[in-house]
Structure formats: structure tokens, C-alpha cells
Amino acid sequence: MKSLGSIRRSFSPWTDPSSKPFISFRNVTKRFGDFVAVDDLSLDIYTREFHALLGASGCGKSTLLRMLAGFEQPTSGEIILDGQNLAGIPPYRRPVNMMFQSYALFPHMTVEANIAFGLKQDGMPKPAIAERVTQMLKLVKMEQFAKRKPHQLSGGQRQRVALARSLAKQPKVLLLDEPLGALDKKLREETQFELMDLQQDLGLTFVVVTHDQEEAMTMADRIAVMAHGKVVQVATPAEIYEAPNSRFVADFIGDVNIFDGTVSRAQASEIRIEADAGFAIEAASSAHPGEGAKAGFAIRPEKIRVGRQMPTGNAVNAAEGELWDIAYLGDMTVYHVKLNSGKVVKASSLNAVRAVEDPLGYDQKVWISFDRDAGVVLKD
Amino acid sequence: MNRLLPAIVNRLVIIIPYAWLLVFFLIPFVIVLRISLSEAAVAMPPYLPVFAWADGLSGFIDNVRQFSFDNYVWLTEDALYTNAYISSLTIALISTALTLLIAYPIAYGMARAPATLRPTLLMLVILPFWTSFLIRVYAWIAILKPEGLLNQLLLSTGIISQPLIILNTNTAIYIGIVYSYLPFMVLPLYSALEKMDHSLTEAAQDLGCTPISAFWRITFPLSLPGVVAGCLLVFIPAVGEFVIPDLLGGSETLMIGKTLWNEFNANRDWPVSSAVAAILLMILVVPIMFFQNAQSRLDREGR
Ligand SMILES: Nc1ncnc2c1ncn2[C@@H]1O[C@H](COP(=O)(O)OP(=O)(O)OP(=O)(O)O)[C@@H](O)[C@H]1O
Ligand SMILES: [Mg+2]
């Protein structure tokens, strides 16, 4: 069995103040005319990290990568790679290779020649080139296609060749711009794990651009969520999912319910919010706004319980409504509950047993409830 | 009926270009070939034999028996013709190379220009076609002659003290051909360069190429179909070019177009001039086929 995400090494140099970042963007801004594509952005990436840049289309991911590769110059700020300021260093002298969004395979060359291209350019001796090419072909399982031209390959095969070509020079950093964008879902998932294995086996630093959050969550050690040329949050996939630092991140990653309301009590480690949806929320939270301020409470659907009875105990973190919609997805069921206040809440539960006796049905009165530490408090 | 009609239309679409070739190329060529096998005569038309429907089949066969390759033999015996062919090919070859050298940077610049500017640039390349070809060649006489614009400019700026003799030399012919055929080279080059993905040269640079080596290893090879097409479009008409050498070239410049014109008009020797034309065509067919072959191969690889 392949090594999967769950059994990867424990790796967290960003928590260690003594470790030095390998790549540093320092207050980097990139303007195209009046348009600010990257806005005063600072970001550290560590050696051997699998780092994903995640964000909506047009938020500046490719631009950031292209500045690292040397195809665009920052308007201001600096980029440091391995202690060296990259300003003024042309692309062909950077120890960085890029896998292009469009693959950019050379159409007039065979698969072999494409992979050998960078090595030849470096003046590597012929036998060594042949050996490396064979090794790369084997790595991406394309041995039998060595003599083909790119137009004779399928999309997935081209992607493999592009990967092999960018890996052939064994760069310190590999930049991948939407590497799996052209693949169908199944091939995509397979390739994600292959990429992870590869990165770990070769001990490289990967910076991957994607706008697919699932892909970022699967592959990356850390994710930088970007919006409008800025990094909104940099954290591990779990932190991003469980503790989004803003409404934007909470909304962007996965499904979420956000209850807006007013803070009625703020203590050191607990906060009480009178939700606009007509019930009180008591949540564990250390950082929170003061009493009387507006706040939001974000909670994932799988952390909300749905039941027929009012939960015992106090009347907080629970609200009554009726079942509006039920979607049976096989592994889980998603409920849409319309609270008495009119707000629709999404809740999901795993179908752990095969047939539930007396399942919930449409238009029934139900109660939703959740635990104190099931969600996060959002300022603003 | 409903199904028949589209089928017929389909056929027609295929037949039209072939019919065009038949009517405007093959039939005239057969006529030229037939005249080249005849014998010059002081008559109307000025060659023998002449076919007539009245002769019937036996008359036709008799006439065909009179055909001979004498004119072709004659062409090989007189060095004048061989020299004219060689000099035509040389001039065409050099002109084509010069045109390519000048057109490539122009086409490259156009292809890299902002997309909004490209239609204007394209327009500028085609603009000379709006005035008569003949007038433009005459204009070059005014520019190149000893007391012409170019010499006046150079003399007045003190770069030269004696007027340059350019008119009526091969240099003038090169200038004329390069100038006249430049658009035919620029356009195919531009279309080849314009559709090229810029990320390919970025990828080459990413893998360690300087911009210059990226050009030679990626851009240029990928533009070869355009280079081949452009060279064909310039080379073929340049070999048979008559107007430019006649107006700009000297009396000692031998070009096959001029030779042909002389045979036809001055000597009124239709059979020999037909033979000249037939040989010219055969000389050209070889490089055309070669280039066509190369082009279709490149096209296949380019995808
Ligand atoms: N050369 C350029 N000139 C002008 N604007 C540009 C240029 N390159 C990028 N931009 C603009 O900068 C913004 C960021 O572009 P970028 O390519 O980085 O987006 P992205 O995050 O990679 O998006 P996608 O997910 O669609 O690839 C976009 O709004 C784009 O229009
Ligand atoms: Mg992009």
C-alpha cells in the first residue's frame, strides 16, 4: 500500500522559531498597470514543505508563482530563496523549475527529448542524460511512450511528461501551476497521491497552485488561502478547516453554517452570542470581541446534530425547526433544517448503520444542537 | 432526392479546385508543351504542325509524327539558356534568403505586439498592394538612379562623395524583389509565430535556456512551416520574374523571364520560348514537391 496522507511524517518547521524559511516573500506587490494582482504579500515556505496556494480564479496565484520562477518582476518587495535575493536573476539561472498550467510541452520533440531538454542545456554528458531520462520515465510510468510526440499522448500522459520534465533537473523547488487541472476526477485523485509520494521520496520543496480545495487539503502540508492578491490565512489543512480565521476562509473551505449575532457575555475562555436566528450560543473561545459587539459563529454541518427531541439540559446551542430537505448521499445524509426564525441550517450525519429504524422524514419538527467547542467565533 | 443533393454538393466542392487546376493550369500547360514540340514557321500561328478538325484521325497522327525535341536539344546546346536558368535560380535564391532575413524580425515583432495593435500592423504590411506593382517598381528607379533620392541623401549628408551606381545592377534587382515580395514572406511567418504558445519559450527558459537559445531551440523550429511557405511564395515567382530585372537590372543581367520574353516577342519563336517555359516549370516542380513534402511533415509534427 502506498503511503497516504494520514501516515506522513510529522513535519512542522513553521512552529519552530529557530528554523529558517527556504522561500520568503517579503511585502511583495505586483501591479499590472493600475491593477494590483499581488498586494503587499508576505509568505514563508520551508524546505521539504508541500505548500499549496489556494484561491479563487484571478486572485494572483499564478502571478505569485511566476514571480518565483522569474517570469514576472515584483513591483516592490523582495523574494528570498535559500538566503539569496532573487531580484535580477533571470529564470534560466534560478534553481527552480516549473510545471506549467498548460504543460507547455515542446510539440516538435519526443517525450524523451522533452525530458532531456533541460539536462542538455546544462551540458550534462550524454550517458548521464540517458540514464536520468530513463529514471524519470520510469518514475512517471511512461517508459513505453518515450518515442512519442506530445500530440500522440492523452491529457494525463502529457501531464506526466510535463512533471518528468520539470523534475529532471532535480530543482530545489518545484512549482506546479494547477498540475492536475486537465485530469478527470479519478485520475486526479490517483495522481495526487503519486505527487505526494514523489515529493517525499525526492525530498523536494513543492509549491502547488490550485483552486480545488479538496486537492489542497489532500496534498499539502500547509495551505495559503489567497484572496485579491493577499494571503488570508496560512495553516495546515486541519487548522484551516477547524479554525478558519475569518468569514472568508470559513466560507471558502468546505460547507459551513454561520450564525450572526450580538455578544451578550464575554469571558476569558467563553463567549455567549444571542444569535439573530433566535437562540443563544455559548462557545469556547479565547479571542473574541467585547460585549455588545457583532460576531459570527461558524460551524461545519457534520458537527450539528439533528433529533426529534429537545436536547436535555439548558436551552443554549439548540434550536427548533422543521426538516426542509433530505439528501441521501450513501456514506452520509445531509439535512436542511429550516429554523423557526426562517434561517436554513445544513447538517450532516454519517450513515454508520445500514438501515435506520424510523428515519427522519420531511416536514417533521426537529431540533438541531451542537457542542460548545464545535465551531469557531468570527469577529467582524 | 433529399439525400442526393448534399452528396452532389459535396462532390462539387471537391471537384471545383480540380476543375480549376484542369482549366487554368493543366490545359494551358499541355498547349505550351505541344507548341514546344513544334517547329517555328512564318505563318499564323507561327509554328508547325497545326491541327485541324478537317484532317481527321490520320491527319492527327501524321501531325503528331512531326513533333520533335529539337527545341529542347537547341536549348541545351546554347550556353545562353543554361546561364539564364542558373542566374535566375541564383538571384531568386539570394533574394529569398534576404527576404527571409528581413521578414522574420518583422513577423516576430508583429506576433509579439499587443493584440490590439496587430490588426493595424497587418494592415501596414498589406498596404503597398493598394498601389500598382508597376508604379512601385518605377518609384525604385527614382530612388536608386545616380541622381536619385538615395544618392542625394547620402551625398548631402557627406557619407559618400561619389554617387553609388545601384540602378541597372543585380543589387537593384535584389532590392526590387525583396521589397516586392516581403509581404508574401511576412504573412505566413506571422501566422506561424502568432499561434505559437508563449509559455513554450518560458518553459525553455525555465529549463535553463537564455532567451536567444530558447529562440533557436523552440521558436525557430516551430516556425519552420511558415518559413517554408514564405520561401516558396517568394522563390517561385522570383525565378520567373520579368518586370523587376527588366526595369531595375542591367543589360548584362540574364534572367529566364527576360529570355523568354525575347524569344517570344523579339524573335517570334513560339516553340523555343515554350520549351524555355516547360523546362522552367520542371525545374520548379522539384523544389516545390520537396518543400510541400517538408511542409506537410512539419505540419503533422506541429500538432
Ligand atoms: N500580464 C498581465 N497583464 C495584466 N493583468 C494580468 C497579467 N497577468 C495576470 N493579470 C491579472 O492579474 C490577476 C491575477 O492573475 P493570476 O493569473 O495570478 O490569477 P490566478 O489566481 O492564477 O487565477 P486562475 O486560477 O484563473 O489561474 C488577474 O486578474 C489577471 O487578470
Ligand atoms: Mg493561474
Side-chain angles (χ1 to χ4, degrees):
Chain A
M1 187 63 205
K2 293 231 168 107
S3 66
L4 297 181
S6 53
I7 49 170
R8 296 193 80 193
R9 76 224 182 234
S10 92
F11 175 75
S12 53
W14 48 88
T15 54
D16 174 4
S18 69
S19 68
K20 265 183 59 181
F22 189 55
I23 304 166
S24 277
F25 290 90
R26 294 191 188 153
N27 305 98
V28 172
T29 296
K30 175 69 187 176
R31 283 199 194 89
F32 294 108
D34 287 343
F35 182 79
V36 184
V38 173
D39 191 0
D40 192 28
L41 177 146
S42 297
L43 178 65
D44 288 338
I45 296 168
Y46 293 83
T47 313
R48 295 176 162 236
E49 183 178 347
F50 199 127
H51 193 97
L53 299 172
L54 180 63
S57 188
C59 69
K61 307 178 299 284
S62 292
T63 307
L64 200 63
L65 219 58
R66 290 169 58 78
M67 284 194 284
L68 193 49
F71 300 125
E72 307 280 1
Q73 302 308 317
T75 312
S76 67
E78 53 190 19
I79 305 171
I80 313 290
L81 181 96
D82 202 8
Q84 186 188 23
N85 190 334
L86 289 180
I89 300 181
Y92 51 91
R93 288 221 210 90
R94 298 191 180 195
V96 165
N97 280 136
M98 178 145 159
M99 181 177 160
F100 286 72
Q101 197 162 1
S102 58
Y103 304 154
L105 294 178
F106 305 130
H108 57 307
M109 296 182 190
T110 60
V111 165
E112 238 172 13
N114 263 283
I115 298 174
F117 188 90
L119 305 171
K120 254 190 214 160
Q121 200 57 39
D122 283 358
M124 200 190 227
K126 271 214 173 103
I129 293 183
E131 192 183 326
R132 180 76 64 83
V133 169
T134 316
Q135 185 192 343
M136 286 298 136
L137 283 170
K138 207 166 147 203
L139 191 70
V140 296
K141 304 190 191 74
M142 288 288 291
E143 296 105 315
Q144 68 270 48
F145 300 105
K147 303 284 181 214
R148 294 238 191 134
K149 293 269 173 74
H151 70 275
Q152 296 165 316
L153 301 175
S154 74
Q157 292 166 338
R158 275 180 223 177
Q159 178 256 322
R160 279 151 197 280
V161 178
L163 182 65
R165 188 181 68 178
S166 53
L167 277 172
K169 288 180 75 172
Q170 306 193 335
K172 290 184 192 170
V173 181
L174 188 64
L175 311 176
L176 304 105
D177 196 348
E178 308 250 359
L180 313 181
L183 305 186
D184 63 49
K185 194 166 166 7
K186 194 158 165 15
L187 194 56
R188 212 179 157 109
E189 282 168 4
E190 278 174 30
T191 318
Q192 285 170 3
F193 289 110
E194 283 171 20
L195 270 182
M196 289 160 64
D197 289 346
L198 211 70
Q199 187 253 352
Q200 208 165 9
D201 293 348
L202 301 178
L204 302 178
T205 306
F206 271 29
V207 184
V208 180
V209 161
T210 174
H211 57 239
D212 179 338
Q213 42 147 318
E214 223 174 286
E215 186 171 298
M217 305 272 287
T218 308
M219 297 196 293
D221 291 314
R222 279 194 311 161
I223 299 174
V225 181
M226 290 181 65
H228 307 298
K230 287 184 191 295
V231 169
V232 189
Q233 184 172 10
V234 196
T236 62
E239 281 166 358
I240 295 251
Y241 188 77
E242 300 293 351
N245 68 355
S246 64
R247 200 170 285 256
F248 176 84
V249 176
D251 216 15
F252 190 74
I253 310 282
D255 273 329
V256 73
N257 299 291
I258 297 180
F259 296 104
D260 289 308
T262 314
V263 178
S264 61
R265 196 174 74 222
Q267 289 164 353
S269 63
E270 196 188 67
I271 186 169
R272 183 182 165 100
I273 299 171
E274 305 302 326
D276 299 344
F279 65 106
I281 297 169
E282 280 183 10
S285 168
S286 50
H288 43 66
E291 279 174 26
K294 289 272 171 207
F297 180 75
I299 181 164
R300 304 286 179 192
E302 70 273 14
K303 302 210 167 63
I304 297 184
R305 289 184 296 270
V306 183
R308 284 206 179 80
Q309 263 92 47
M310 181 179 166
T312 49
N314 49 10
V316 296
N317 294 354
E320 194 181 21
E322 70 186 44
L323 257 186
W324 192 250
D325 213 349
I326 305 171
Y328 175 74
L329 302 181
D331 55 345
M332 61 177 194
T333 303
V334 177
Y335 303 101
H336 285 190
V337 178
K338 191 172 184 186
L339 301 185
N340 292 343
S341 65
K343 183 176 175 68
V344 176
V345 174
K346 200 170 175 184
S348 63
S349 72
L350 272 181
N351 297 325
V353 282
R354 220 171 124 241
V356 182
E357 277 178 50
D358 186 22
L360 293 168
Y362 282 97
D363 297 333
Q364 279 185 357
K365 284 281 173 200
V366 290
W367 280 83
I368 62 155
S369 61
F370 47 85
D371 294 336
R372 295 173 69 249
D373 51 3
V376 288
V377 175
L378 305 170
K379 296 188 194 183
D380 70 67
Chain B
M1 186 63 207
N2 274 352
R3 247 179 290 157
L4 207 60
L5 199 64
I8 292 173
V9 171
N10 265 342
R11 285 284 154 77
L12 267 180
V13 169
I14 301 169
I15 286 170
I16 286 170
Y18 284 105
W20 180 276
L21 273 180
L22 183 76
V23 174
F24 293 105
F25 177 76
L26 207 58
I27 294 177
F29 180 67
V30 169
I31 295 173
V32 168
L33 207 61
R34 168 237 181 286
I35 297 177
S36 75
L37 297 173
S38 311
E39 191 184 329
V42 185
M44 194 61 210
Y47 52 83
L48 282 173
V50 179
F51 293 102
W53 287 114
D55 295 346
L57 186 64
S58 63
F60 176 80
I61 293 170
D62 275 348
N63 280 340
V64 170
R65 286 229 178 87
Q66 289 182 39
F67 281 161
S68 79
F69 286 94
D70 288 354
N71 295 318
Y72 291 92
V73 176
W74 156 256
L75 288 185
T76 57
E77 281 169 353
D78 193 335
L80 173 85
Y81 298 101
T82 322
N83 289 343
Y85 279 119
I86 291 174
S87 123
S88 287
L89 289 173
T90 318
I91 289 177
L93 211 64
I94 294 174
S95 313
T96 307
L98 289 173
T99 314
L100 179 63
L101 234 54
I102 295 170
Y104 205 104
I106 296 176
Y108 190 84
M110 284 168 63
R112 288 277 166 277
T116 47
L117 207 62
R118 284 182 213 158
T120 317
L121 294 173
L122 212 55
M123 199 63 207
L124 287 176
V125 170
I126 308 170
L127 204 63
F129 289 129
W130 289 18
T131 44
S132 147
F133 169 66
L134 214 54
I135 288 175
R136 284 181 285 130
V137 177
Y138 272 116
W140 276 105
I141 298 181
I143 295 172
L144 297 178
K145 64 186 175 184
E147 65 281 15
L149 292 173
L150 180 67
N151 277 317
Q152 281 178 22
L153 183 76
L154 293 178
L155 284 169
S156 68
T157 52
I159 294 172
I160 52 169
S161 53
Q162 286 286 308
L164 295 174
I165 305 300
I166 300 175
L167 195 62
N168 301 332
T169 65
N170 279 2
T171 312
I173 298 183
Y174 293 139
I175 293 176
I177 294 181
V178 169
Y179 164 77
S180 306
Y181 291 102
L182 197 63
F184 296 104
M185 187 69 93
V186 170
L187 294 179
L189 283 177
Y190 168 76
S191 90
L193 288 168
E194 197 246 2
K195 70 179 178 209
M196 210 157 63
D197 185 357
H198 186 56
S199 65
L200 293 180
T201 46
E202 285 188 345
Q205 290 190 41
D206 187 64
L207 293 167
C209 280
T210 61
I212 291 173
S213 65
F215 173 83
W216 285 115
R217 293 189 64 186
I218 306 299
T219 311
F220 188 73
L222 285 177
S223 69
L224 275 181
V227 172
V228 169
C231 286
L232 274 186
L233 284 176
V234 174
F235 181 78
I236 292 168
V239 173
E241 183 56 57
F242 166 69
V243 174
I244 294 172
D246 191 52
L247 293 181
L248 302 179
S251 49
E252 80 283 8
T253 307
L254 269 179
M255 274 190 82
I256 207 66
K258 228 165 130 184
T259 313
L260 208 149
W261 193 87
N262 276 337
E263 289 301 341
F264 198 84
N265 287 310
N267 298 350
R268 245 180 102 72
D269 194 338
W270 288 23
V272 166
S273 57
S274 296
V276 170
I279 290 185
L280 179 60
L281 185 82
M282 282 174 234
I283 291 175
L284 288 182
V285 158
V286 176
I288 291 175
M289 301 232 291
F290 171 76
F291 276 124
Q292 288 275 296
N293 234 327
Q295 177 133 41
S296 59
R297 206 185 59 234
L298 286 170
D299 267 352
R300 250 178 292 124
E301 285 177 0
R303 289 318 84 186

